[in-house]
Amino acid sequence: MKHLMSGNEATARGVYEAGIKICSAYPGTPSTEILENLPQYKDDVYCEWAPNEKVAFEVAFGAATGGARSFCAMKHVGLNVAADPFYTMSYIGVNGGMVLGVADDPGMHSSQNEQDSRHYAIAAKLPMVEPANSAECREFVMQAFDLSEKFDTPFIFRLTTRVSHSRSPVEEGERVELPILPYEKNAAKHVMMPGNAKKRHIVVEEHLAALREFAETTSLNRVEQNGASIGIITAGNCYNYAKEAFGKRADYLKLGLVNPLPEKLIRDFAAAHDTVYVIE
């Protein structure tokens, strides 16, 4: 059965269905309602408001290291507060899957600046997915947990204000119950002293290389063909605006995995069209 949900409500539903054990967050529009919608599943998920974003991040990261799937939510300026552990996280990797939900606020509807968290993903060498509607919020965040464990890295889940607060149909599924994975003591992986970090940097680059290859074929990125000479490359809510403006007068490369980008897919799409627009 489908229900109308906001992007934040659908994210909470997807997080629950993915089998997480813990969610720690710090409130801030447009991300607040993610955690607010999780306590209804209180028998299965531990939820807490943290005193700040760094604490929220470290609680979730600790749970993932211990083998439990975890989720952390904050708005874009909160990622500044969590930046210290955030940048080291890509070197350590995960045990249980971890997803960091970051809600950006283009247009500054309720924020003091207009940061773009995609730059954080690039700088920290972490993968990022970005949904365009509520149904994709549920679907993408669930995939992010699976991919986090597959590639041994946390995933960033980027929302924007219009996706977080707009409503669209979402089909609910059943929760997947997963065991807590065993923790293995491994100082070389978990303790980022310089000697260990230098070796782990090589692993980070290997993960990125594997993710770049994955980006070329994943269903998170898709091409919509309408037989047009105009091609539009876009992601997130801008995809909705592009479809509204151009309709079937353009073909679309909709990016769901926005870091790392599928370079070959982008080049091939651009080469097949007379005119290409990138809509941000």
Side-chain angles (χ1 to χ4, degrees), residues 57-217:
F57 184 90
E58 290 176 333
V59 167
F61 189 40
T65 302
R69 284 192 170 185
S70 67
F71 186 80
C72 180
M74 60 191 68
K75 68 181 294 178
H76 62 286
V77 290
L79 189 52
N80 301 331
V81 181
D84 181 17
F86 171 82
Y87 275 99
T88 306
M89 174 180 69
S90 62
Y91 283 64
I92 297 174
V94 299
N95 186 11
M98 178 182 173
V99 177
L100 166 64
V102 179
D104 288 359
D105 189 20
M108 295 171 283
H109 302 281
S110 59
S111 305
Q112 65 268 42
N113 63 28
E114 197 180 35
Q115 288 175 206
D116 185 340
S117 296
R118 291 175 295 184
H119 295 296
Y120 264 109
I122 295 168
K125 301 180 183 294
L126 285 171
M128 173 183 275
V129 294
E130 181 174 356
N133 55 47
S134 298
E136 286 188 350
C137 285
R138 172 187 169 273
E139 175 190 347
F140 283 15
V141 79
M142 293 176 69
Q143 288 194 50
F145 279 106
D146 293 337
L147 295 172
S148 172
E149 292 174 356
K150 177 180 179 180
F151 290 100
D152 187 20
T153 184
F155 261 67
I156 308 171
F157 181 76
R158 182 184 187 242
L159 292 159
T160 56
T161 302
R162 295 307 187 198
V163 174
S164 288
H165 292 163
S166 61
R167 300 172 72 83
S168 58
V170 177
E171 186 166 354
E172 297 180 357
E174 297 296 323
R175 175 175 166 86
V176 177
E177 292 295 345
L178 298 170
I180 296 178
L181 300 174
Y183 170 78
E184 296 181 7
K185 187 175 181 180
N186 183 352
K189 184 178 190 293
H190 296 139
V191 182
M192 287 303 100
M193 299 298 288
N196 293 337
K198 290 175 183 178
K199 296 175 183 177
R200 289 296 297 179
H201 183 81
I202 298 172
V203 176
V204 171
E205 296 297 341
E206 290 173 347
H207 289 169
L208 271 180
L211 281 159
R212 289 190 190 99
E213 184 177 349
F214 171 77
E216 300 291 347
T217 58

Side-chain angles (χ1 to χ4, degrees), residues 214-279:
F214 171 77
E216 300 291 347
T217 58
T218 177
S219 60
L220 291 166
N221 301 323
R222 71 172 189 263
V223 175
E224 296 181 11
Q225 298 282 6
N226 293 310
S229 62
I230 297 174
I232 294 177
I233 302 173
T234 189
N237 196 40
C238 289
Y239 165 76
N240 301 323
Y241 295 146
K243 292 278 288 199
E244 183 178 349
F246 286 87
K248 294 187 176 181
R249 294 182 290 116
D251 295 341
Y252 301 88
L253 171 53
K254 181 186 177 298
L255 300 172
L257 181 62
V258 295
N259 190 58
L261 291 172
E263 183 175 330
K264 183 178 184 300
L265 183 62
I266 292 172
R267 289 182 181 274
D268 290 347
F269 181 80
H273 295 88
D274 298 334
T275 304
V276 175
Y277 298 112
V278 177
I279 299 182

